[in-house]
């Protein structure tokens, strides 16, 4: 439902920035004919936007594919150079004057305060989410006996139609969250028909060969590899992962008779996660996601 926030008919967008020790958030409110038509928050790492030029560049990028309104309100003063550059660029893009200012009082100041509050709420929510994810990753490291926190996890699954269209999907979780731009799908070329172990061996051989080559996403080594499969899959991939420097731990995600996550395996022992609710939900989510992408 559109919320009436001013009695004026002018169009304007409102930007506000809020930062904690771990995260920064830029909030935007879109006001049209006195009504709040749209709002959103954009999350960044802490200290990523440290100067007025950074914020000005981000606002310019926001309008790269849309026309700016006649007025833009900011919750903070930009330095003179950044403000001038931003105003000139927006005015040129709109082919009319675009005013950029920071109100000090009245209803317009209240709009900035509203945007700041939205940014603050999002920052606090993100901080709580990150803390929960860190606890889950710490629990996973403890259960699996890992030496480092698995900040980057890669999971793999094989999919095929009979003996044809054999693929291996790779999904990536970074700091407990899916990192979809890093997902990859490998078309299997060397197996003779449906061969899960051979397909997994080919896919991981090709993937691990990219570590350290500077390739986006593939150039970075995972802290943990999870396979949608059991003992055989782990034994197939482990020699490839242990040949890396440092060696990469490999575990299988074992399913029960109902195709649901039952446990993890190191190739020798089953590791139950049934009594660790947050960990079980996390692993189950990874297993479902890698299967979805594979299919």
């Amino acid at each position: 439902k559109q919320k009436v926030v001013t009695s004026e008919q002018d169009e304007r967008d409102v930007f506000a920035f809020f930062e904690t020790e771990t995260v920064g958030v830029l909030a935007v409110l879109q006001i049209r004919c006195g009504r709040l038509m749209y709002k959103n928050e954009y999350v960044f790492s802490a200290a990523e936007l440290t100067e007025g030029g950074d914020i000005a560049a981000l606002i310019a990028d926001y309008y790269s594919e849309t026309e700016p309104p006649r007025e833009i309100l900011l919750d903070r003063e930009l330095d003179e150079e950044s403000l001038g550059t931003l105003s000139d660029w927006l005015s040129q893009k709109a082919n009319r004057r675009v005013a950029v200012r920071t109100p000090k009082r009245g209803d317009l100041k209240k709009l900035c305060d509203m945007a700041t509050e939205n940014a603050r709420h999002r920052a606090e929510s993100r901080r709580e989410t990150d803390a929960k994810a860190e606890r889950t990753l710490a629990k996973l490291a403890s259960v699996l006996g890992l030496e480092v926190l698995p900040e980057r996890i890669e999971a793999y699954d094989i999919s095929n139609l009979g003996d044809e269209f054999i693929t291996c999907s790779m999904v990536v979780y970074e700091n407990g969250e899916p990192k979809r731009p890093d997902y990859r799908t490998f078309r299997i070329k060397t197996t003779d028909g449906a061969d899960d172990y051979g397909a997994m061996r080919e896919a991981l051989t090709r993937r691990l060969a990219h570590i350290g080559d500077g390739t986006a996403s593939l150039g970075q080594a995972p802290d943990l590899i999870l396979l949608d499969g059991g003992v055989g899959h782990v034994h197939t991939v482990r020699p490839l992962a242990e040949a890396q420097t440092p060696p990469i731990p490999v575990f299988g995600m074992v399913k029960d008779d109902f195709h649901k996550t039952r446990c993890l395996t190191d190739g020798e022992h089953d590791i139950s996660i049934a009594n660790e609710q947050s960990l079980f939900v996390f692993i189950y989510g990874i297993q479902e996601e890698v299967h979805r992408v594979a299919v």
Side-chain angles (χ1 to χ4, degrees), residues 59-257:
I59 294 173
D61 186 60
Y62 177 84
Y63 291 110
S64 61
E65 297 183 2
T66 186
E67 184 174 317
R70 293 186 178 277
E71 184 175 58
I72 292 174
L73 305 181
L74 306 179
D75 71 326
R76 62 189 58 202
E77 298 277 2
L78 297 183
D79 61 86
E80 186 175 340
E81 181 181 359
S82 298
L83 179 61
T85 301
L86 178 61
S87 300
D88 291 345
W89 185 88
L90 292 172
S91 298
Q92 183 178 5
K93 179 174 177 56
N95 201 27
R96 52 173 165 74
R97 183 175 180 274
V98 176
V100 182
R101 62 194 185 96
T102 302
K104 300 298 184 182
R105 61 182 66 85
D107 290 340
L108 299 187
K109 175 65 165 61
K110 291 179 181 178
L111 287 178
C112 289
D113 292 342
M114 181 189 302
T116 302
E117 190 67 7
N118 287 353
R120 184 182 68 81
H121 279 301
R122 181 62 181 272
E124 292 177 350
S125 175
R126 180 57 181 263
R127 181 169 55 184
E128 293 173 1
T129 300
D130 289 347
K132 180 179 179 181
E134 186 172 352
R135 289 194 297 269
T136 299
L137 293 178
K139 175 61 69 174
L140 179 62
S142 176
V143 168
L144 300 183
L146 305 180
E147 295 182 0
V148 298
L149 199 70
E151 294 179 350
R152 181 182 174 95
I153 299 173
E154 295 180 2
Y156 297 84
D157 188 20
I158 303 297
S159 180
N160 56 276
L161 291 175
D163 291 337
E164 298 182 296
F165 307 109
I166 304 170
T167 62
C168 179
S169 65
M170 162 187 157
V171 303
V172 179
Y173 278 65
E174 193 167 274
N175 296 319
E177 296 291 331
K179 191 179 182 183
R180 292 181 177 85
D182 283 9
Y183 286 15
R184 294 292 183 272
T185 298
F186 298 89
R187 293 184 179 183
I188 303 304
K189 306 172 183 178
T190 60
T191 61
D192 184 14
D195 177 1
D196 268 19
Y197 299 153
M200 194 72 80
R201 183 183 301 109
E202 177 189 332
L204 267 295
T205 298
R206 289 163 55 188
R207 184 270 171 274
L208 296 175
H210 285 284
I211 292 178
D213 68 358
T215 305
S217 79
L218 293 179
Q220 183 178 355
D223 301 308
L224 172 65
I225 291 175
L226 297 176
L227 309 174
D228 188 39
V231 172
H233 292 83
V234 174
H235 286 169
T236 298
V237 172
R238 175 165 287 157
L240 304 174
E242 289 184 343
Q244 304 301 311
T245 306
I248 304 170
V250 178
F251 292 84
M253 299 179 289
V254 183
K255 294 178 179 176
D256 60 21
D257 295 337

